[in-house]
Amino acid sequence: MRSSLFLPVLLVTLGMVFTQTGASFAKMLFPLVGAGGATALRLTLAAIVLILVFRPWRYRLDRAQWRAVLLYGGAMGAMNLFFYAALEHIPLGLAVALEFTGPLAVALFGARKPLDFFWIALAVAGFALLLPWAQTGGDIAPMGVVLALCAGACWAGYIVFGQRAGTGGGAHIAALGVGTAALIALPFGVATAGTALLDPALLPLALAVALLSSAIPYALDMVALPHMPSRLFGILMSGQPALAALSGFVILRETIGPVQLAGMAAITLASVGATLTIARQGQGSAA
């Protein structure tokens, strides 16, 4: 069981690194096209790349599969819109930490053993240290907090619907999901940025954001999700705030205080501990 989980865990981890690097680059687009425009560019370009590479038109989907794909893509589109809107108000690391309420809810829903609850409690403690009352410098806009929490709710849907959509499918499902998300985000991008979305000077940065934040990680997730418990995927995501803070510091020069560092360390430890615990439990049940 442990060896069978290694590759899915590796793929999800790589996707997390790509996602947070891309999010930092995306924030550079905000002064040019706004959060809605950056979301639309990211998802639209990612959809084009994925559709060209995986050619989903070669596969036939029944009504149930289409329903799962549409729910998966809808959750993805809403998640991106809420998250990028939150980034206009709060730092990247804090936004991702608040967004983590979605995966945490998935993890809580599936918890069964006392050790599971210990890791979840540790993640909650770290999460609490990242809330606005623990902020030691600068103002945290309440609107940013609300938007990040909305993104978290959509993230939970992304996990659940992504697993359903990916079962028996493949990377072509990710292409259809991202395409659906792009159709949802595009009207918001046009309303925000208008014809600025067509500026060729934006293409290199926007394409980098699309590949790093959407095309690559969503394809990796779609390959990994059907081969791991949704609870494991949810708790694995607890490493996202630490990666986001690191990416924000290196690329955007966003700094965090010692309280936030302690919170992110707790969340990361919970992620590692939960991963090992669930893998061990799965190995025991298989035996």
Side-chain angles (χ1 to χ4, degrees):
M1 179 69 180
R2 185 176 300 174
S3 59
S4 67
L5 280 175
F6 175 77
L7 182 58
V9 168
L10 176 62
L11 293 177
V12 170
T13 303
L14 288 174
M16 289 161 54
V17 173
F18 285 128
T19 296
Q20 300 310 328
T21 303
S24 293
F25 289 151
K27 204 164 182 178
M28 298 178 182
L29 288 170
F30 286 8
L32 304 174
V33 293
T39 307
L41 282 173
R42 165 187 169 176
L43 291 174
T44 301
L45 291 175
I48 293 172
V49 170
L50 287 172
I51 288 172
L52 290 177
V53 171
F54 296 112
R55 295 176 287 179
W57 59 82
R58 298 182 302 168
Y59 303 86
R60 291 186 178 276
L61 276 64
D62 58 28
R63 181 175 298 181
Q65 288 174 316
W66 270 115
R67 182 175 181 273
V69 166
L70 292 175
L71 289 171
Y72 163 61
M76 185 194 308
M79 176 181 69
N80 278 277
L81 285 168
F82 280 125
F83 179 69
Y84 274 34
L87 289 184
E88 287 191 305
H89 304 282
I90 55 179
L92 176 61
L94 179 57
V96 173
L98 292 167
E99 190 189 25
F100 175 65
T101 52
L104 183 58
V106 174
L108 276 167
F109 182 79
R112 292 292 183 270
K113 297 183 180 297
L115 191 55
D116 295 336
F117 287 100
F118 170 77
W119 296 125
I120 292 171
L122 183 60
V124 170
F127 171 74
L129 293 174
L130 299 174
L131 290 176
W133 60 66
Q135 189 72 13
T136 57
D139 296 326
I140 298 299
M143 178 58 69
V145 173
V146 172
L147 290 168
L149 292 174
C150 290
C154 296
W155 195 355
Y158 167 79
I159 294 171
V160 174
F161 297 136
Q163 189 175 39
R164 293 177 185 175
T167 301
H172 66 282
I173 297 294
L176 294 173
V178 176
T180 302
L183 291 175
I184 292 173
L186 196 56
F188 293 91
V190 172
T192 301
T195 57
L197 294 175
L198 302 177
D199 186 353
L202 298 178
L203 184 59
L205 180 57
L207 186 58
V209 169
L211 291 174
L212 292 172
S213 295
S214 297
I216 295 174
Y218 289 152
L220 293 177
D221 284 356
M222 187 50 57
V223 173
L225 273 170
H227 304 289
M228 62 165 50
S230 60
R231 183 161 54 102
L232 171 57
F233 181 83
I235 302 178
L236 266 177
M237 291 294 101
S238 61
Q240 291 275 23
L243 290 173
L246 179 61
S247 178
F249 173 75
V250 172
I251 299 174
L252 301 173
R253 301 304 179 189
E254 294 179 342
T255 58
I256 58 174
V259 174
Q260 288 75 33
L261 285 174
M264 291 177 181
I267 289 174
T268 301
L269 179 60
S271 173
V272 174
T275 301
L276 295 175
T277 300
I278 294 174
R280 191 176 298 115
Q281 290 173 2
Q283 185 180 30
S285 64

